[in-house]
Amino acid sequence: MNIVVCVKQTPDTAAIVTVEDGVVSWGDAPVVLNPWDEYAVEEALRIKEAHGGEITAISLGPEDAKEALKQALAMGCDQAILISDPVFAGADTLVVSKILAASIDKIEGTDLVIFGRASVDSDTGVTGPQVARRLGWPALSLVAAISSLDPEGKTIAVERMLDEGRQLVSSPLPAVVSVVKEINEPRYPSFMGIRKASRAEIPLWTAAELGLDEISDPAVMWPDIMAPPKIETEVEMIEGETPEEIAARLVDRLMEEKVI
Ligand SMILES: Cc1cc2nc3c(=O)[nH]c(=O)nc-3n(C[C@H](O)[C@H](O)[C@H](O)COP(=O)(O)OP(=O)(O)OC[C@H]3O[C@@H](n4cnc5c(N)ncnc54)[C@H](O)[C@@H]3O)c2cc1C
């Protein structure tokens, strides 16, 4: 099974986001592997452990997106490729999906592409299905379990997690899946993995290397970005001599406020 995992570098979720004049800033927050993509990497590793093959992690982004790729390598991916070019700046998901699909085409022999459910910063959740559309491969989204995988017969069956329950879906390979956090528990990188990743050479593919002569302007524009309105909150400490007394007062207060 040859697997490509698409990973994005995102700010740490603990970062305090500010928006000023439509410009978003995460301050000095560290950038990390998009948390949803850790599940994608973990699932690729588990499939490789069961069926063999190679895992390639790819990321489209600036030079520092290499850090996300290094984390994927430290977890156990075999190789990583950074896709970067100044002409990619400001791309929307239509453009990003075109570039990622061209990269997957260039890798050749891919059986399965795995995405996280969404990125924690832009959070559109559409990149995986758009890449599938561009490749002409089936898109299996919100996957909470891979129920069966037959590399010889080239088929996959998955459980999709929906609000109403789970749905069993099957398709031929190659296919594109996006995974939710219920699928697994991502492993911590091993010491050896971290050492290997720190020494790894990560090749860089540009627009020219992908044969993308023309990068279209984004169709989806972001004319403005607003921070959510400030919410005023009051804190009231409920006190009492015993836990029973505190609980009784808390219940009274919640009833007064019509919460219960
Ligand atoms: C400076 C800047 C300007 C932007 N301007 C616009 C704009 O004008 N209009 C607009 O629509 N968007 C804009 N974007 C957003 C950008 O297009 C999205 O970040 C990108 O399309 C991916 O979408 P997403 O982050 O919502 O990913 P999602 O679709 O939420 O991510 C799903 C999964 O796709 C994969 N993935 C996502 N991004 C990448 C990546 N780069 N490399 C590899 N895998 C990836 C990961 O597995 C991820 O879990 C801008 C972003 C930046 C940084």
Side-chain angles (χ1 to χ4, degrees), residues 155-187:
T155 56
I156 183 170
V158 301
E159 281 180 32
R160 297 186 62 236
M161 205 174 87
L162 311 176
D163 286 345
E164 300 79 19
R166 291 200 177 197
Q167 196 180 53
L168 185 66
V169 179
S170 63
S171 88
L173 294 172
V176 174
V177 304
S178 72
V179 300
V180 293
K181 66 179 170 41
E182 286 73 13
I183 195 163
N184 59 43
E185 191 57 48
R187 69 194 66 188

Side-chain angles (χ1 to χ4, degrees), residues 12-46:
D12 194 332
T13 45
I16 309 232
V17 184
T18 57
V19 182
E20 220 166 286
D21 299 328
V23 179
V24 183
S25 166
W26 284 268
D28 298 331
V31 278
V32 296
L33 174 63
N34 176 35
W36 292 105
D37 300 349
E38 290 181 22
Y39 298 90
V41 171
E42 176 63 37
E43 201 54 28
L45 295 171
R46 291 182 186 204

